[in-house]
Amino acid sequence: SAAIGLWARKNRQYWRIWKGKLYIKYARPSLSTSEFLQAMEAQGRERQSNLEVLTNYKVTEQATISETKDGVKMRGALEIILTRRGMEDATPVPITTLRGREREAANSLLKVNKRLFSATPPTKATWCSLICDLGLDLLTLRGTGEYVSADTISSVLDAPPMHIRMSDLIHFGLLLEMKLVEVDELKRILNMTGRYCSLVSKHQDGVGMLCRYAAMSLGTQPAVKRTSGQEAQMLCESADGMIYIGDCMMLITSFGFNSVDAIMKHVLRHCQGNKWQEISLKAFLRNAEADGQLAYEGKWSNPPTPITGLLMAMCGNIGVGNAFPHETIHNWTPEMISVATREAFQAAQSQPGVVVAPRDIFQRIWDAGTDIMIMDEFKAVNNYGCQFGGIRGWLSTNMAAFTLKMSQVWTCERENRHGFQPVPILSQLLPVLRAGALSQSWGEDYNFNQEKGNGWRLPATALLWLQISLLDTWLARHVDVMVQESAMPELSVPATLQAAELCAQSANSVLNQSTGWNPPRLRFCRMYLARLANGVGQMGSSFMSTAQTFEDRRMGWKEMPIGTEEEWVMVDAVLTLRAACQHTRLMLMMDSSPLLRLRKFDPVLLLA
């Protein structure tokens, strides 16, 4: 057990009496990204079933956690406090006084939490430490079902190595917040390092290239242990380069002007009415990927606006993420973004104007105890509203739940029902957007001196998440105003609390907790996409365009099917600001570009 910890319970032992020898066979370990996510989902279901048994009690999980230079550490034992609902101020109910299934459920919760947040036991097999640091239970993992005789294991190893795909090991490293240092799939070399752990490849005589995991320092609690199965899935998908356009998730490299337009056209053909709805795309997507398809016959092959800008303006805003393949969005350069942001902000400031959030908005969020944001490592937000795994966006979800929560900390005195409202801007980003200084280097400098409060700190990615969400409320409201076909009008932040409550009640009565399609906004997007791809007479129309643009921006939006030229300029300016914020946020995440190469050739590594 010193070599492989609790995994040793899966081993088989037997005597050969005539040889007087004890034979041991090790259960061969196995772990892939899909197996990890399945295990996370199983743990989540078990936890939910235990909480359902305790519906008569308010369950509070309490522990003293401190943030040190060595990471988040837990001081003392974790406790579960039970109080009867409706009697929260009464004396807590001891677990020992419970009976039957309630007692079993409470003990199960306590046992799982102790396993999760206890120090990882030291073992010689580094894959044991990796599994424990990821928050999985060694006893519930199945392995391959095969057994390895101890006599066949190399003498330089203390336990059977784990065979694992390089892409899976990279996923696990990213989940533990390690950066990629060296990736060579042909030589089977993988080196990753983080603040508290590392992965190193080294040649071992008699074995070949071997990876070893250096575990977390004693007592350190990685953020992955505090994530749900859906959040872990979103972390892995974003690291692979997946984005949401509406309710369609694909690799960002699979989206082009033609393919996005084809998807939206297909969805509109199958939509019924103007309400939010879900449309299956499984059969259609096989023939809709990328713009390199011969079927498009070179249409929109040389657009005046980079496709990356359009995708950043429309894609879902993930609430959980720490890695993204940077090489997929490099074609929209920092110089292009700087010019586009500066000019778009000037246009928005001129018309319809900007409204600046209170300087202490984040302290208000913290003091109010609302779950608008969770400033916890790579987690920016809790799981509420119309979404999947933290996804939100003006094209993917209804923003009513977010608007209501923001209205509790930032309100306006009266509602403006007519015309275009000012664009909500965080005071921390006001000078940055005005100067066109939003970039990866700005974010890295900010993180060295990030805003802090009593019990919270605000990294750049969380700051940008909130700014994108504020812009999404403005876009949802004003795109609906332009199209004039919305079945469920939304509000822009700031809104009156009364109006926000009515809007949220209306949304809750008809919406599920999921992403979906909004037909009126799809019609708007097809018009906007076509103008960005075509331009006007070889001239660019958008602030994101890299071709020559009109001095009078209104000239680029002449003869649009809906809205006025001024309205299109305003909406394009806000979409440009959103795209710049989204691009910067993804660039501030760790670079997972090697995962794109591994889709073609993904070797198996040995993890000691």
Side-chain angles (χ1 to χ4, degrees):
S1 62
I4 56 178
L6 293 177
W7 190 264
R9 296 186 184 181
K10 300 176 181 289
N11 294 346
R12 291 180 177 177
Q13 302 177 5
Y14 54 93
W15 282 93
R16 286 289 183 260
I17 299 176
W18 55 90
K19 291 187 177 181
K21 183 178 179 181
L22 176 67
Y23 287 84
I24 300 176
K25 286 192 174 182
Y26 289 93
R28 187 184 292 277
S30 172
L31 188 64
S32 64
T33 303
S34 60
E35 290 171 339
F36 164 75
L37 294 175
Q38 289 170 9
M40 290 284 286
E41 286 292 339
Q43 290 180 180
R45 288 193 300 271
E46 180 185 2
R47 173 182 170 80
Q48 188 60 36
S49 65
N50 287 327
L51 291 174
E52 288 174 357
V53 172
L54 298 169
T55 51
N56 295 327
Y57 300 89
K58 178 184 177 182
V59 181
T60 303
E61 295 163 303
Q62 183 174 291
T64 303
I65 293 179
S66 61
E67 188 169 351
T68 69
K69 291 183 179 179
D70 295 324
V72 177
K73 289 181 176 288
M74 190 166 70
R75 309 294 185 188
L78 186 141
E79 298 178 355
I80 289 183
I81 300 174
L82 302 177
T83 53
R84 292 192 180 276
R85 293 196 181 276
M87 303 173 61
E88 281 79 2
D89 296 332
T91 304
V93 178
I95 294 178
T96 53
T97 63
L98 300 178
R99 293 291 182 268
R101 184 68 183 92
E102 288 184 346
R103 185 169 182 173
E104 290 178 9
N107 283 326
S108 177
L109 286 174
L110 187 60
K111 180 180 178 182
V112 170
N113 284 336
K114 284 183 177 180
R115 175 185 62 78
L116 272 177
F117 299 109
S118 297
T120 299
T123 56
K124 294 181 179 180
T126 65
W127 51 262
C128 276
S129 300
L130 175 65
I131 291 173
C132 291
D133 283 345
L134 288 171
L136 301 184
D137 187 355
L138 283 167
L139 294 178
T140 59
L141 291 179
R142 295 182 179 180
T144 64
E146 302 172 337
Y147 289 85
V148 183
S149 174
D151 295 335
T152 63
I153 299 173
S154 175
S155 59
V156 298
L157 300 176
D158 296 301
M162 175 187 285
H163 292 76
I164 184 170
R165 292 281 179 187
M166 181 178 281
S167 61
D168 294 328
L169 199 50
I170 290 177
H171 277 142
F172 300 146
L174 294 172
L175 287 168
L176 294 169
E177 300 179 84
M178 288 188 270
K179 294 184 178 181
L180 287 161
V181 177
E182 183 181 7
V183 180
D184 190 331
E185 58 270 34
L186 298 180
K187 295 182 179 180
R188 285 179 163 75
I189 295 175
L190 173 61
N191 292 322
M192 301 181 72
T193 187
R195 289 186 295 172
Y196 321 122
C197 54
S198 61
L199 272 167
V200 178
S201 296
K202 189 176 180 180
H203 187 273
Q204 180 73 57
D205 292 341
V207 178
M209 196 61 68
L210 194 67
C211 285
R212 293 185 183 275
Y213 169 70
M216 291 275 178
S217 58
L218 193 64
T220 302
Q221 302 299 329
V224 68
K225 289 186 176 182
R226 304 187 292 276
T227 60
S228 67
Q230 280 193 338
E231 290 168 339
Q233 181 177 344
M234 189 57 62
L235 282 163
C236 295
E237 288 174 350
S238 61
D240 287 333
M242 297 285 188
I243 63 170
Y244 268 80
I245 298 295
D247 196 25
C248 175
M249 182 191 69
M250 289 198 303
L251 275 174
I252 188 172
T253 53
S254 297
F255 287 109
F257 281 104
N258 289 290
S259 55
V260 172
D261 185 64
I263 290 169
M264 293 182 177
K265 183 178 179 181
H266 172 81
V267 171
L268 284 170
R269 192 181 298 123
H270 291 82
C271 280
Q272 297 178 355
N274 292 326
K275 63 181 180 180
W276 285 95
Q277 50 201 285
E278 295 178 278
I279 304 294
S280 176
L281 293 172
K282 289 183 179 180
F284 177 78
L285 289 180
R286 297 190 187 100
N287 301 314
E289 294 186 7
D291 274 11
Q293 299 283 348
L294 296 176
Y296 296 127
E297 298 179 349
K299 180 184 177 183
W300 293 335
S301 59
N302 189 28
T305 304
I307 183 60
T308 300
L310 177 68
L311 296 179
M312 296 295 101
M314 296 194 305
C315 71
N317 183 24
I318 56 176
V320 181
N322 70 346
F324 194 82
H326 292 178
E327 70 178 44
T328 61
I329 55 177
H330 269 160
N331 62 337
W332 202 26
T333 64
E335 294 76 18
M336 295 177 186
I337 295 172
S338 177
V339 173
T341 305
R342 185 171 60 252
E343 294 182 354
F345 183 84
Q346 291 172 356
Q349 193 172 31
S350 174
Q351 189 181 17
V354 300
V355 55
V356 182
R359 187 67 179 81
D360 64 341
I361 187 67
F362 295 101
Q363 189 62 50
R364 293 187 187 187
I365 292 172
W366 182 264
D367 292 341
T370 180
D371 57 356
I372 293 175
M373 300 183 69
I374 297 178
M375 291 163 270
D376 178 15
E377 303 295 341
F378 48 69
K379 292 178 68 172
V381 66
N382 208 355
N383 191 27
Y384 65 82
C386 181
Q387 60 177 307
F388 167 76
I391 285 284
R392 284 174 189 76
W394 68 276
L395 187 59
S396 299
T397 59
N398 180 281
M399 300 295 294
F402 171 80
T403 302
L404 174 60
K405 292 176 182 292
M406 282 301 300
S407 297
Q408 295 169 359
V409 295
W410 181 19
T411 61
C412 64
E413 295 181 358
R414 55 184 178 180
E415 183 182 359
N416 179 14
R417 291 181 176 272
H418 306 288
F420 274 42
Q421 298 172 238
V423 181
I425 301 292
L426 294 173
S427 59
Q428 291 85 348
L429 289 175
L430 183 67
V432 182
L433 294 172
R434 181 187 291 128
L438 196 64
S439 64
Q440 182 180 3
S441 59
W442 162 82
E444 291 169 349
D445 292 340
Y446 169 87
N447 281 333
F448 279 115
N449 190 27
Q450 58 190 257
E451 187 167 339
K452 299 179 181 179
N454 184 18
W456 60 272
R457 57 188 176 85
L458 183 69
T461 52
L463 177 69
L464 291 169
W465 177 89
L466 185 59
Q467 180 60 74
I468 294 167
S469 297
L470 292 175
L471 295 177
D472 281 342
T473 66
W474 190 95
L475 288 165
R477 167 75 175 178
H478 295 89
V479 167
D480 289 348
V481 169
M482 287 181 64
V483 179
Q484 297 182 347
E485 296 177 354
S486 175
M488 188 180 296
E490 296 189 42
L491 298 174
S492 174
V493 175
T496 64
L497 184 58
Q498 182 181 8
E501 288 174 345
L502 291 173
C503 184
Q505 289 173 7
S506 175
N508 289 337
S509 64
V510 296
L511 290 176
N512 296 320
Q513 182 108 332
S514 175
T515 51
W517 297 103
N518 185 298
R521 294 180 194 175
L522 290 182
R523 286 189 277 271
F524 166 87
C525 285
R526 291 196 68 203
M527 301 173 201
Y528 183 68
L529 178 152
R531 182 54 58 97
L532 262 60
N534 287 319
V536 177
Q538 307 298 320
M539 302 278 280
S541 300
S542 173
F543 290 99
M544 295 180 280
S545 298
T546 54
Q548 184 179 355
T549 57
F550 295 96
E551 185 174 346
D552 183 356
R553 290 285 181 176
R554 294 175 297 179
M555 299 293 292
W557 299 100
K558 280 191 169 184
E559 300 178 358
M560 293 297 288
I562 62 171
T564 66
E565 297 159 10
E566 290 79 6
E567 289 175 341
W568 279 100
V569 171
M570 288 187 282
V571 172
D572 177 59
V574 178
L575 283 168
T576 300
L577 294 177
R578 186 199 194 275
C581 291
Q582 188 70 273
H583 186 278
T584 303
R585 186 177 180 222
L586 295 179
M587 289 297 293
L588 285 171
M589 296 180 185
M590 293 182 289
D591 187 9
S592 57
S593 296
L595 285 174
L596 298 177
R597 298 199 312 266
L598 295 178
R599 295 177 72 87
K600 298 179 180 179
F601 177 67
D602 191 5
V604 174
L605 305 181
L606 287 180
L607 180 62

